[in-house]
Amino acid sequence: MKAQALQKTFPDLTHLLTQFTRHIHSEITMAVFNVSSFNPGPFILLGIPGLEHFHIWIGIPFFIIYLVALAGNSVLLHLISTERSLHEPMFFFLSMLAATDLILSNTCVPKILSIFWLGPQEITFPGCLTQMFFLHYSFTMDSAILLAMAFDRFVAICFPLRYATILTRQIITKIVMGIISRSFCIIFPCVFLLKRLPFCRTFIIPHTYCEHIGVARLACADISINIWYGLAVPVMTVTSDLILIGISYTLILRAIFYLPSRDARQKALSTCGSHVCVILIFYTPAMFSVLTHRFGHNIPHSFHIMFANLYVAIPPALNPIIYGMKTKQIRDKIILLFFPKGTQ
């Protein structure tokens, strides 16, 4: 009887021991995975799903736009740094915008072109985080710089006699440090929000570059914090910047209509025209992209990605063209730079 009882008991113990061993093994495996998931293998950027056959042709206009962005912003930086007549707060903020646009273009467009022309490309996890950081960092920087430029125009038109005393070198330095530190403090937490996530499903990104929510959705964990933070950042920063810019230009227009002469009104409107064009080019596609990414579930995914690519490519190329055409000081310097003999 004892022997039969032992034979009956031992299989049960063996079964329990087997289950216990499997449980411990799975826990150890998950623990090891969680440690290694902070630096997973390389991601694969696919490009624009559904438009793979057109990638080569899509890459040609993107390459031209990229060259225009590099040339235009480099010329702006060269002129503003070398011409003493352009050493004013407005042009200093413009040089910051040009530098930020160069960062945005070089962060995304070369990788986009390699995907279009060479097929899906690998990107390491640290490289993906770096690209994501500079992409969103340049976005918030652009928004803050446009706000600073709107404030500059507000002071120049509403308080012209006090312009030099209000926008002193110390004040401009504080504004610049505020722009840089605010953008860094807003975007840097996104790096830690992604590093904490375990990636166990797929490393394939159906996009041309790494962005916060797109990478977070590949994780096999709760990403509600990422979603809420990614939604709160544009609401609290970009929207507030846009509201303040709107208030600034409302006061500017009010002051313009009270100017005594028609020539003064036309000059003030011409000065602000380039800023308004750049603001519209920046905020319109940016807000549309954010809203469609969150709520436009019926819009084809390929349209999302194509629009996102246009956003990172077109504004950096158009900004120097707009300022070169509509700002007389810059237009004259560009003509003098490229056609020195014709101006004599």
Side-chain angles (χ1 to χ4, degrees), residues 21 75 96 105 115 121 127 153-154 184 218 229 241 243 260 265 276 286 288 300 302-303 305 344:
T21 304
V75 169
M96 286 187 63
S105 295
I115 294 170
Q121 296 290 305
R153 291 300 86 199
F154 167 74
F184 182 84
L218 300 179
Y229 190 84
D241 290 346
I243 291 172
R265 289 195 296 268
V276 174
F288 181 81
S302 58
F303 180 81
I305 300 175
Q344 293 179 352

Side-chain angles (χ1 to χ4, degrees), residues 19-33:
Q19 294 295 325
F20 179 74
T21 304
R22 289 177 179 176
H23 177 72
I24 294 297
H25 181 267
S26 64
E27 291 294 328
I28 294 174
T29 302
M30 286 301 297
V32 172
F33 172 77

Side-chain angles (χ1 to χ4, degrees), residues 59-60 62-63 66 108-118:
I60 295 174
F62 270 88
F63 179 67
Y66 177 58
C108 298
V109 180
K111 197 69 175 180
I112 292 173
L113 292 175
S114 66
I115 294 170
F116 285 159
W117 289 342
L118 302 176

Side-chain angles (χ1 to χ4, degrees), residues 45-343:
L45 295 167
L46 292 183
I48 307 177
L51 299 178
E52 291 86 356
H53 298 295
F54 302 99
H55 275 180
I56 294 178
W57 303 107
I58 295 173
I60 295 174
F62 270 88
F63 179 67
I64 296 173
I65 294 171
Y66 177 58
L67 292 181
V68 172
L70 289 181
N73 289 291
S74 298
V75 169
L76 271 183
L77 287 173
H78 172 73
L79 289 177
I80 294 172
S81 62
T82 57
E83 295 291 338
R84 283 187 168 273
S85 60
L86 299 180
H87 292 178
E88 299 177 5
M90 179 182 74
F91 299 110
F92 179 75
F93 291 133
L94 179 56
S95 67
M96 286 187 63
L97 184 67
T100 307
D101 284 342
L102 284 175
I103 294 174
L104 177 61
S105 295
N106 289 308
T107 297
C108 298
V109 180
K111 197 69 175 180
I112 292 173
L113 292 175
S114 66
I115 294 170
F116 285 159
W117 289 342
L118 302 176
Q121 296 290 305
E122 288 188 353
I123 183 170
T124 63
F125 185 63
C128 190
L129 291 180
T130 302
Q131 187 184 58
M132 181 274 301
F133 171 78
F134 281 106
L135 168 68
H136 297 302
Y137 178 75
S138 60
F139 175 79
T140 55
M141 279 278 291
D142 274 346
S143 180
I145 293 169
L146 291 175
L147 176 59
M149 295 174 76
F151 176 70
D152 170 82
R153 291 300 86 199
F154 167 74
V155 175
I157 293 174
C158 298
F159 305 98
L161 300 179
R162 298 174 54 193
Y163 180 79
T165 58
I166 294 176
L167 286 176
T168 61
R169 180 167 297 187
Q170 291 79 9
I171 295 298
I172 294 174
T173 302
K174 291 179 181 179
I175 292 174
V176 172
M177 294 305 297
I179 290 172
I180 295 173
S181 59
R182 190 197 76 159
S183 301
F184 182 84
C185 293
I186 288 171
I187 302 303
F188 196 65
C190 293
V191 176
F192 292 98
L193 289 176
L194 287 179
K195 282 185 67 69
R196 71 181 181 86
L197 295 174
F199 295 89
C200 56
R201 295 174 183 171
T202 179
F203 295 140
I204 298 176
I205 302 176
H207 210 301
T208 53
Y209 54 79
C210 297
E211 55 95 19
H212 179 212
I213 300 300
V215 177
R217 284 177 175 165
L218 300 179
C220 52
D222 182 24
I223 61 169
S224 57
I225 297 178
N226 298 73
I227 293 174
W228 282 110
Y229 190 84
L231 184 62
V233 167
V235 169
M236 293 187 341
T237 58
V238 176
T239 305
S240 61
D241 290 346
L242 185 57
I243 291 172
L244 293 174
I245 290 173
I247 294 173
S248 298
Y249 275 98
T250 301
L251 297 174
I252 288 171
L253 290 175
R254 182 183 175 184
I256 287 174
F257 288 121
Y258 281 102
L259 292 176
S261 66
R262 183 178 179 181
D263 292 339
R265 289 195 296 268
Q266 289 181 347
K267 183 178 179 181
L269 288 173
S270 177
T271 303
C272 295
S274 56
H275 298 278
V276 174
C277 291
V278 170
I279 288 168
L280 292 175
I281 290 173
F282 174 77
Y283 282 106
T284 302
M287 297 304 293
F288 181 81
S289 179
V290 170
L291 292 175
T292 55
H293 193 73
R294 297 295 190 278
F295 308 109
H297 303 294
N298 296 326
I299 300 177
H301 189 57
S302 58
F303 180 81
H304 282 274
I305 300 175
M306 177 61 77
F307 201 86
N309 289 331
L310 293 175
Y311 163 71
V312 300
I314 290 181
L318 289 183
N319 289 346
I321 295 175
I322 292 172
Y323 281 109
M325 292 176 59
K326 296 187 72 67
T327 306
K328 186 178 184 302
Q329 298 98 313
I330 295 178
R331 184 171 65 247
D332 293 342
K333 296 302 179 183
I334 291 176
I335 294 173
L336 185 63
L337 178 66
F338 291 101
F339 307 100
K341 294 182 180 180
T343 58

